[in-house]
Amino acid sequence: MQNYKMILEYEGTRYNGWQRQGNTDNTIQGILERKLGEISGEAVEINGSGRTDAGVHAAGQCASFRLETELNCDFIKNELNKRLNRDIRILRVEQAHPRFHARLNAKAKTYVYRICTADKAPVFTRHFTYLYPCKIDIEAVGRAADMLVGEHDFRAFTSNHRTKKSTVRTIYSIDTEYSDDILTIRFTGNGFLYNMVRIISGSLLMVGTGEMNTEDIALALNSQDRKKAGVTLPSSGLMLEKVYY
Amino acid sequence: MQNYKMILEYEGTRYNGWQRQGNTDNTIQGILERKLGEISGEAVEINGSGRTDAGVHAAGQCASFRLETELNCDFIKNELNKRLNRDIRILRVEQAHPRFHARLNAKAKTYVYRICTADKAPVFTRHFTYLYPCKIDIEAVGRAADMLVGEHDFRAFTSNHRTKKSTVRTIYSIDTEYSDDILTIRFTGNGFLYNMVRIISGSLLMVGTGEMNTEDIALALNSQDRKKAGVTLPSSGLMLEKVYY
């Protein structure tokens, strides 16, 4: 039994997210498992570092899988790339420690949310930029972002707010940048709740437009009430950039 | 009569190039003229800084046009953007001197050609990167590129090599860069012959792979013989980046 670690990128536009859904699905995991099955002749389970929702992109998703028969890493990479559409690309396959698991061992992740505030999205990044024409106060966005950094109970910032599991997470950094009408919000944290990045991005965008202020964000955080936070932005602007182990 | 200057970007993949071809065409110029006609109620002729071929992209194409009735520049920009698909975006419209003409007054242009030498193109730039899996000697590419800089007769580097017009042009710079398996070749010159950037890029790529050397490029240049130069690369990797006036 050989364990493998794989790094890949994909444009999520045409897919129903990462997680396999039955046999006739259109998910990244499902497609990868089918193709890897063709190559290896084995029934393979591929574990991602986490699910990405329908429409979410990844520049550095990580996944792990085991094969009964050891195959060369570059062979796996090349054979998968040949069989996959142009919107999924395997960047690297390497042998991993027998106990390595892409989800269970993930220490931290970086996500990026991109918003275009001009009247039309840039042509060359239109498929992974959310268009929201408006004027932004980037300093206000930065102040509100700073306030969310650290260990907090982010229950107000998840769609799954009735969960009984802990909703405490640590955000190590939220970097905000605004140039050429593109607001880029980059989150690094030890884990993110369901829709957390999209809801925080929506809340920060509302701070940028003046619909919310830093005080509102603080109140939302303390309230643990989803209704106090901002809107959930669409999946199209979200990208999983990197997973740390 | 008011004269206008317009800057725009487009992904050329779905279009038959810049230049209008009859009434039922699928060209950038044809589409822009139809949409601007709807907005202004006039029959408008739009002059580009130059034609881009089918499949060629532009990040900073420039065009000029005249309207009988003066319209607000931002109004023109916004109304065009609303009517155009997401793969064409107007960046700026401004009033221009009555005699300004986007093609006749162009002083210089910058074109970029992008080649991916890995086994598969990057997902997020796949539509404007030419895939050619190989190993590259980037220093050899740089030396050959340097040799083509300056004023030369580039007759060997055009598909239209039987023209009676002058084929002398000046290339101010050719910058070559190679990182993450992407070879980027950026040309700035006072003008480019038909297919000249694609043929020089093909020749430089052949130098990179060892199929040609710097000496061969010098011989091709002096021979004025198209057959001595390298292959014409596909339009998909080519982008008009900027026009200087």
Side-chain angles (χ1 to χ4, degrees):
Chain A
M1 204 69 160
Q2 176 61 52
N3 196 16
Y4 295 90
K5 177 183 180 182
M6 174 165 80
I7 312 292
L8 69 154
E9 61 180 15
Y10 47 85
E11 183 189 318
T13 314
R14 300 192 311 128
Y15 299 100
N16 295 325
W18 170 267
Q19 196 176 34
R20 185 193 336 113
Q21 297 165 15
N23 284 318
T24 56
D25 68 351
N26 184 38
T27 64
I28 312 287
Q29 182 188 23
I31 289 165
L32 288 172
E33 288 179 350
R34 281 203 300 280
K35 304 292 181 189
L36 189 52
E38 289 171 25
I39 295 164
S40 66
E42 300 178 20
V44 195
E45 186 182 347
I46 301 183
N47 292 295
S49 71
R51 314 167 188 181
T52 51
D53 285 335
V56 174
H57 320 290
Q61 170 69 292
C62 182
S64 58
F65 57 88
R66 288 186 164 79
L67 294 179
E68 299 276 357
T69 314
E70 188 178 326
L71 292 176
N72 175 279
C73 291
D74 281 342
F75 174 80
I76 298 173
K77 175 176 99 98
N78 295 337
E79 292 299 315
L80 278 175
N81 277 337
K82 270 191 247 173
R83 287 168 168 82
L84 293 163
N85 283 322
R86 294 181 69 198
D87 51 7
I88 307 179
R89 180 169 76 143
I90 312 299
L91 298 169
R92 209 164 65 237
V93 174
E94 54 194 53
Q95 295 198 341
H97 185 279
R99 288 201 306 223
F100 175 76
H101 187 287
R103 179 168 53 81
L104 300 177
N105 295 145
K107 292 261 185 300
K109 286 179 189 167
T110 297
Y111 278 96
V112 183
Y113 201 96
R114 286 187 182 84
I115 301 163
C116 173
T117 61
D119 65 325
K120 194 167 188 174
V123 162
F124 301 102
T125 57
R126 67 192 186 277
H127 296 304
F128 40 97
T129 305
Y130 169 56
L131 178 66
Y132 189 83
C134 67
K135 293 224 179 298
I136 288 280
D137 177 347
I138 183 63
E139 288 179 21
V141 174
R143 281 193 302 272
D146 288 346
M147 226 205 45
L148 293 166
V149 171
E151 186 185 75
H152 301 288
D153 187 333
F154 288 99
R155 190 164 291 257
F157 296 90
T158 173
S159 302
N160 190 20
H161 47 90
R162 287 168 182 239
T163 180
K164 284 177 180 161
K165 292 188 190 165
S166 168
T167 44
V168 173
R169 294 291 184 279
T170 301
I171 298 183
Y172 303 123
S173 63
I174 305 180
D175 294 323
T176 55
E177 199 187 293
Y178 190 50
S179 66
D180 293 330
D181 296 316
I182 305 289
L183 173 61
T184 306
I185 313 176
R186 182 172 273 104
F187 301 81
T188 299
N190 66 354
F192 294 92
L193 304 166
Y194 185 61
N195 278 350
M196 179 169 153
V197 176
R198 290 163 58 183
I199 296 171
I200 296 183
S201 297
S203 305
L204 293 179
L205 176 59
M206 289 173 76
V207 170
T209 60
E211 292 163 89
M212 292 182 82
N213 60 38
T214 306
E215 181 76 353
D216 297 329
I217 301 291
L219 288 171
L221 185 63
N222 292 329
S223 73
Q224 302 183 17
D225 179 358
R226 171 69 189 91
K227 293 191 289 294
K228 297 274 197 292
V231 296
T232 308
L233 295 188
S235 57
S236 58
L238 182 59
M239 190 177 296
L240 171 58
E241 202 170 65
K242 195 170 175 180
V243 186
Y244 303 85
Y245 291 94
Chain B
M1 205 69 160
Q2 176 61 51
N3 195 19
Y4 294 90
K5 178 183 180 182
M6 175 164 80
I7 311 292
L8 69 153
E9 62 179 12
Y10 46 86
E11 182 188 319
T13 314
R14 301 194 310 128
Y15 300 100
N16 294 324
W18 170 268
Q19 196 176 33
R20 186 194 332 115
Q21 297 165 16
N23 284 317
T24 56
D25 67 353
N26 185 36
T27 64
I28 313 287
Q29 183 189 23
I31 289 164
L32 287 172
E33 288 180 349
R34 283 203 299 280
K35 303 293 181 188
L36 189 52
E38 289 171 24
I39 295 164
S40 66
E42 299 178 23
V44 195
E45 186 183 346
I46 301 183
N47 293 294
S49 72
R51 313 166 187 180
T52 51
D53 285 335
V56 174
H57 319 290
Q61 170 67 294
C62 182
S64 59
F65 56 88
R66 289 187 163 80
L67 294 178
E68 297 276 357
T69 313
E70 188 177 325
L71 291 176
N72 175 278
C73 291
D74 280 341
F75 174 79
I76 297 172
K77 175 175 99 96
N78 295 337
E79 291 298 314
L80 278 174
N81 276 338
K82 267 191 249 173
R83 288 169 168 81
L84 293 164
N85 283 324
R86 293 181 70 198
D87 51 8
I88 307 180
R89 179 168 79 143
I90 311 299
L91 298 169
R92 209 163 67 238
V93 174
E94 54 193 53
Q95 295 198 340
H97 186 279
R99 289 199 306 220
F100 175 76
H101 186 287
R103 179 168 52 79
L104 300 177
N105 296 145
K107 291 260 186 302
K109 286 180 190 166
T110 297
Y111 278 96
V112 183
Y113 201 98
R114 286 187 183 84
I115 301 163
C116 173
T117 61
D119 65 324
K120 194 167 188 174
V123 162
F124 301 103
T125 57
R126 68 192 185 277
H127 296 304
F128 39 99
T129 305
Y130 169 56
L131 178 66
Y132 189 84
C134 65
K135 295 225 178 293
I136 288 280
D137 177 348
I138 182 63
E139 288 180 19
V141 174
R143 281 194 302 272
D146 288 346
M147 227 206 42
L148 292 167
V149 172
E151 187 184 72
H152 301 288
D153 187 332
F154 287 99
R155 191 165 290 256
F157 296 90
T158 172
S159 302
N160 189 20
H161 47 91
R162 287 167 181 239
T163 181
K164 287 179 178 157
K165 291 187 190 164
S166 168
T167 45
V168 174
R169 294 290 186 279
T170 301
I171 299 184
Y172 302 123
S173 63
I174 306 180
D175 294 323
T176 56
E177 200 187 294
Y178 190 50
S179 67
D180 293 330
D181 295 317
I182 304 291
L183 172 61
T184 306
I185 314 176
R186 182 171 273 106
F187 301 81
T188 300
N190 66 354
F192 295 92
L193 304 167
Y194 185 60
N195 277 352
M196 179 170 152
V197 176
R198 290 163 58 184
I199 296 171
I200 296 183
S201 296
S203 304
L204 294 177
L205 176 59
M206 288 173 76
V207 170
T209 59
E211 292 162 271
M212 293 181 81
N213 60 38
T214 307
E215 181 77 351
D216 296 329
I217 301 291
L219 288 172
L221 185 64
N222 293 328
S223 72
Q224 301 184 19
D225 179 358
R226 170 69 188 91
K227 292 191 290 293
K228 297 272 198 292
V231 296
T232 308
L233 295 187
S235 56
S236 58
L238 182 59
M239 190 177 296
L240 170 58
E241 202 170 64
K242 195 169 176 183
V243 186
Y244 303 85
Y245 293 95

